[in-house]
Amino acid sequence: MSDRVAIVGVAQTRFSPKRADANVAELAYEVIEKVLNDTGLSIEKDIDNTISCSHDIWDGQTISNIGITDVAGGHLRTEEKMAMDGSTAAYYGAVGILSGEYECTLLLAHTKMSQTNRHIVNNDAFEPIYSRQLGLDFTSAGALQARRFMHAHGLSREDFARVVMKNLGNAMANPLACRFGYYGLDDVLSAPMEADPLTAMDAAPDVDGAVAMIVASESKAKKITDTPVWIQGLGSCYDDYFLGDRDLAECMALEKAAAQAYKMAGISNPVKDLDLIELSDEFSYQELLWLEGLGVCKPGEGARLTESGFTSREGELPVNPSGGVLSGVPANVMGLNRVAEAALQLMGKAGERQVKDAKRAVAQGHTGFCGQHQCVIVLGNQ
Amino acid sequence: MENKFVQAPFEVDQHITAHSNYFAGKMGSKFYVALRDSKEILGVRCKTCSKVLWPPRETCGRCFSLLTEDDLVKIGPGGSVVSFTRVHYSEPIHPDVDAPLVYAVIQLDGADSGMTHLIGGVDPEQIEIGMRVTPVFIENRNGNILDIVYFKPE
Ligand SMILES: [Zn+2]
């Protein structure tokens, strides 16, 4: 049994609106080849397990990982797929190594959102008996959560817009980002309204891309790299499925997932103990809500932290120094991209977006509409 | 002989369609028959949690109690808006109603969980949280969630 698990390598594509030149397997191969080259590992000799994350409808076939088996080292070996968010691939990859069953696991997440219509795909996440016929999708459901969250704490569209401004500004330093720039409040507020209170700028854009990562047992990791990033805490939790079953202004599932991960990592005060956070801001309001769930602030206080610069890249606790999901990361890939960005920071390899002296970080991913499933991973370089 | 040319990326055009008949479950069947035949809305009471849930289900997710048809109760038809949004894009998945499409979570009277549905029959700019609404039923009901056309102000 391995005592510790480390991330030993990360590779990511640039995220762009349409990668017409690569199909999903070719996109996956790009990042797998790169992470193997970077770590000097062989897929035949070193990788003993592969966990991928993709989406059946976006890829166009059920058990969508069958489409990437060959490039992911799954041929005549073990390979499993996680549905919907790449952070859970990291979760189960780490669990597999902690169990002693595996020593070195390849993680992969890939999606070409350009291949089909996001709202129609996400409408299929709504069960067919009571919800799907209404035509709901993740944006309209997210807007219901955003309005309830505003109502609970007297928040405004400006509070959400400041998250967009911060993250797209951060994305200026991220060469992989698709959407970036220094925007003013009016730019965000006057963007085309999608489902109020959310404009097109409050929602992550459709992009294509892939992320690969290798995790290894402690003894193996130390042979591979001088900059291992240790997975120190893991947490995962589901909330109620039906929107009307939960208080949309709260995120109990994230609180529980964070509590598990923090306990495992020995974190008692996240603001003091963490140096940065990468969270899945699929919509602007989510950054403020997830900050509460991660124990960074009291309910309703995330807006103030954003406005004061507390969560800026130079602030006391940088949140999404990469630009986050709002800068353009595909569905399914966004959680693994969060883990990858946090790991790059702790390796000191985040380039222009590097946070100084980062030693400990948390990555958060979620699945389903309004963040029904939550996954929290604590990482450290000590 | 060299004959180099660049092949433009080729995309295969597809359309996935499947006509489906999904079993609504024992509780769902009761719900839809009551909706279709009597314009009644049913929820289910979990005695252990003292909560009335919509949609009616056979297991309480909180306490894992088995719920039965004896636990079905009439809820609504009136209720109040918990949250809402006006949707400004249109997709083929949307019901055939005038834009903007307005979704809401509605807490029906006598229920402890909300129903997600549409709001209509009102200037979309006048909708607010806490507003009282009541369902408008379609004339020829065939047992689906759109037997309620939308909820309108009381
Ligand atoms: Zn119960």
Side-chain angles (χ1 to χ4, degrees), chain B residues 72-150:
Chain B
L72 289 169
V73 290
K74 266 197 267 183
I75 56 174
S80 54
V81 172
V82 175
S83 190
F84 67 95
T85 180
R86 294 164 281 237
V87 176
H88 295 272
Y89 50 87
S90 76
E91 295 287 2
I93 49 174
H94 289 165
D96 185 20
V97 297
D98 293 339
L101 192 64
V102 184
Y103 290 113
V105 178
I106 298 153
Q107 185 93 22
L108 294 180
D109 297 341
D112 294 292
S113 63
M115 175 191 278
T116 307
H117 213 288
L118 299 157
I119 303 258
V122 59
D123 174 358
E125 296 305 315
Q126 301 302 311
I127 300 166
E128 49 189 42
I129 288 176
M131 189 169 85
R132 292 285 308 168
V133 290
T134 193
V136 175
F137 298 93
I138 202 167
E139 190 141 343
N140 299 309
R141 294 178 300 281
N142 35 30
N144 66 58
I145 200 65
L146 296 174
D147 280 354
I148 298 171
V149 189
Y150 51 65

Side-chain angles (χ1 to χ4, degrees), chain A residues 18 20-21 56-57 60-61 114 117 119-120 123 127-141 143-149 151 193-198 239-240 242-246 248 252, chain B residues 9-11 16 22-25 27-29 31-32 53-57 61-62 81-89 91-95 101 103-105 107 112-118 129 144-146:
Chain A
K18 179 161 176 160
D21 61 310
D56 290 354
I57 304 176
Q61 69 182 117
S114 68
N117 177 310
H119 294 319
I120 296 177
N123 179 243
E127 53 76 39
I129 311 295
Y130 302 101
S131 325
R132 190 177 303 157
Q133 276 183 298
L134 296 169
L136 290 156
D137 58 59
F138 284 15
T139 302
S140 51
L144 290 169
Q145 184 168 43
R147 171 146 1 246
R148 190 66 201 169
F149 182 47
H151 179 79
M193 187 57 77
E194 295 219 321
D196 71 319
L198 304 176
D239 209 326
D240 286 312
F242 288 102
L243 293 175
D245 278 356
R246 32 176 171 142
L248 290 174
M252 204 167 54
Chain B
F10 189 84
E11 295 176 334
I16 301 176
Y22 297 107
F23 178 46
M27 304 297 234
S29 301
F31 169 82
Y32 273 118
L53 307 171
W54 185 90
R57 58 204 81 174
R62 295 294 164 99
V81 172
V82 175
S83 190
F84 67 95
T85 180
R86 294 164 281 237
V87 176
H88 295 272
Y89 50 87
E91 295 287 2
I93 49 174
H94 289 165
L101 192 64
Y103 290 113
V105 178
Q107 185 93 22
D112 294 292
S113 63
M115 175 191 278
T116 307
H117 213 288
L118 299 157
I129 288 176
N144 66 58
I145 200 65
L146 296 174

Side-chain angles (χ1 to χ4, degrees), chain A residues 112-178:
Chain A
K112 291 191 67 174
M113 294 182 81
S114 68
Q115 293 194 147
T116 186
N117 177 310
R118 161 198 203 139
H119 294 319
I120 296 177
V121 172
N122 285 335
N123 179 243
D124 277 345
F126 290 84
E127 53 76 39
I129 311 295
Y130 302 101
S131 325
R132 190 177 303 157
Q133 276 183 298
L134 296 169
L136 290 156
D137 58 59
F138 284 15
T139 302
S140 51
L144 290 169
Q145 184 168 43
R147 171 146 1 246
R148 190 66 201 169
F149 182 47
M150 281 167 88
H151 179 79
H153 305 295
L155 302 175
S156 65
R157 285 184 55 212
E158 284 79 357
D159 292 321
F160 299 162
R162 285 188 194 96
V163 173
V164 180
M165 290 159 61
K166 170 181 73 71
N167 289 356
L168 298 192
N170 284 350
M172 290 289 281
N174 182 354
L176 308 179
C178 174

Side-chain angles (χ1 to χ4, degrees), chain B residues 46-51 53 59-65 67:
Chain B
C46 174
K47 292 189 195 84
T48 312
C49 297
S50 301
K51 296 256 189 253
L53 307 171
T59 314
C60 174
R62 295 294 164 99
C63 71
F64 219 55
S65 290
L67 309 175

